[in-house]
Amino acid sequence: MLRSMNENVTLNELGEFLKKRRSELSPRTVGLPERGGPRRVAGLRREEVAQLASISTDYYTRLEQGRLQASALVLETLARVLHLDDDERSYLFQLVGKTSVRGRRRGRQRVQPQLQRVLDDLTATPAVVQGRRGDILAWNALASAMVIDFSRIPEKHRNYPRIQFTEPSMRGLYADWETSARISVAQLRMEAAKYPDDPRLIELVGELSTRDKEFAKWWGDHKVAARTVGTKTLHHPVVGELVLDWDTLTANTDPDQHLTVWTAAPGSSTHERLRILASWAADQHLPASSHFREGGQ
């Protein structure tokens, strides 16, 4: 009985704390457009906080009403959305007796030597090595020529889902960008199930949800997908249409590292165009990743 009463008091305090922090923010502060007309309440609306946190308005409403316990993942996301400082973050987690996920950073990933050797030998086949969250750990020159020059993207942003949603060229490259982007979101959702407390993943989802309405919507659909095999069509600006089969190989020494290769049947027009693209890439001196390049954390 006493425990139940204490829990209710804690949840009520959590709700009041969230409500107060919400009232102190404006749409402009969090990157939302200012809509015309006066607001009934100060600060952000509940639905706006829910949108930014990629949770339902009903879920967030119940949190503010003290009717629901929040997970560490949701608390971490709300701390970011509500622009809490370090003391406020600590208080938020202390309220509900949970440990903040901040600081639980897994070691920096290095591309496995075996995958690097395979990558080095694939001179006529585009390939990349992806780590946790879809971070790009390594690539060959043909992958840069086909997809994007990964070397020009800052290492902390060298993440495939992020590239798909933030690089304008990607929407023109994919013949069916939406389907490919949905698959990336579903794969990222699978990563979230595996590592729900990964701070980098939380940060990535929060950023993309804020920047892109389609990402926020698809993330909210809770679709999941594993990295397996598939076919995609690209409209390449240099060699034209490429119809490619892609496959994923997982490193036994690190199951969080995957070699993705794009291939075409010998004798096909795409196979010939890949050879032309490889020659073009050599002329352009597009860089492959250096040996044992360190990927994102």
Side-chain angles (χ1 to χ4, degrees):
M1 179 71 173
L2 179 60
R3 180 179 179 182
S4 177
M5 290 177 60
N6 288 340
E7 184 177 356
N8 288 338
V9 170
T10 297
L11 292 179
N12 287 335
E13 175 60 25
L14 172 66
E16 290 300 316
F17 181 71
L18 292 174
K19 192 183 303 182
K20 179 62 177 176
R21 298 287 80 78
R22 172 169 65 87
S23 71
E24 295 172 346
L25 295 175
S26 68
R28 181 179 300 176
T29 303
V30 296
L32 292 175
E34 293 276 7
R35 294 185 173 86
R39 291 186 163 237
R40 293 169 54 191
V41 296
L44 296 177
R45 299 186 177 99
R46 283 173 173 168
E47 57 266 29
E48 290 171 332
V49 175
Q51 173 192 339
L52 292 169
S54 297
I55 58 179
S56 70
T57 302
D58 177 67
Y59 183 94
Y60 180 74
T61 299
R62 285 187 289 161
L63 283 178
E64 280 202 358
Q65 292 175 342
R67 297 191 290 126
L68 188 67
Q69 176 70 276
S71 68
L73 178 61
V74 170
L75 291 176
E76 191 72 48
T77 303
L78 289 174
R80 175 188 54 78
V81 168
L82 296 174
H83 293 202
L84 302 187
D85 61 27
D86 288 343
D87 290 341
E88 290 168 335
R89 282 185 76 267
S90 297
Y91 178 70
L92 181 68
F93 281 88
Q94 289 172 10
L95 270 178
V96 295
K98 294 186 181 296
T99 302
S100 171
V101 301
R102 178 177 288 183
R104 295 184 189 174
R105 294 187 178 273
R106 295 174 176 85
R108 181 183 292 268
Q109 279 186 292
R110 292 175 179 265
V111 59
Q112 291 294 300
Q114 299 91 327
L115 291 185
Q116 183 71 65
R117 287 195 292 268
V118 173
L119 195 62
D120 292 341
D121 287 340
L122 294 175
T123 57
T125 301
V128 299
V129 176
Q130 295 184 68
R132 292 186 291 269
R133 304 168 296 271
D135 289 347
I136 303 296
L137 304 181
W139 63 92
N140 61 14
L142 190 49
S144 278
M146 188 183 77
V147 182
I148 196 169
D149 183 359
F150 295 107
S151 67
R152 73 168 179 80
I153 299 172
E155 186 176 335
K156 66 179 181 179
H157 293 156
R158 203 178 292 145
N159 171 276
Y160 207 88
R162 189 183 190 281
I163 290 169
Q164 275 194 296
F165 280 92
T166 62
E167 291 288 341
S169 64
M170 298 295 281
R171 296 179 187 253
L173 177 65
Y174 283 89
D176 186 356
W177 177 85
E178 180 176 328
T179 296
S180 181
R182 281 176 177 267
I183 291 173
S184 282
V185 175
Q187 290 172 342
L188 199 60
R189 173 64 76 173
M190 185 74 84
E191 288 274 311
K194 188 177 180 181
Y195 298 117
D197 295 341
D198 181 353
R200 281 288 302 277
L201 191 147
I202 293 168
E203 180 182 350
L204 176 64
V205 171
E207 179 197 359
L208 293 181
S209 296
T210 302
R211 293 182 61 162
D212 194 288
K213 292 181 179 179
E214 289 173 308
F215 180 93
K217 178 180 181 298
W218 297 336
W219 182 261
D221 289 340
H222 290 261
K223 302 290 186 182
V224 295
R227 292 189 177 94
T228 52
V229 297
T231 301
K232 66 178 61 178
T233 301
L234 304 180
H235 293 315
H236 196 275
V238 175
V239 296
E241 184 179 79
L242 298 171
V243 181
L244 299 150
D245 298 316
W246 60 271
D247 203 345
T248 304
L249 308 175
T250 301
N252 287 330
T253 49
D254 182 356
D256 285 333
Q257 291 194 29
H258 313 276
L259 174 69
T260 299
V261 294
W262 293 275
T263 61
S268 66
S269 59
T270 294
H271 187 259
E272 179 60 27
R273 287 168 184 168
L274 283 178
R275 292 177 59 188
I276 296 171
L277 187 59
S279 177
W280 178 85
D283 291 340
Q284 299 297 311
H285 304 291
L286 287 176
S289 57
S290 59
H291 290 307
F292 311 114
R293 176 185 293 273
E294 294 185 349
Q297 296 186 56

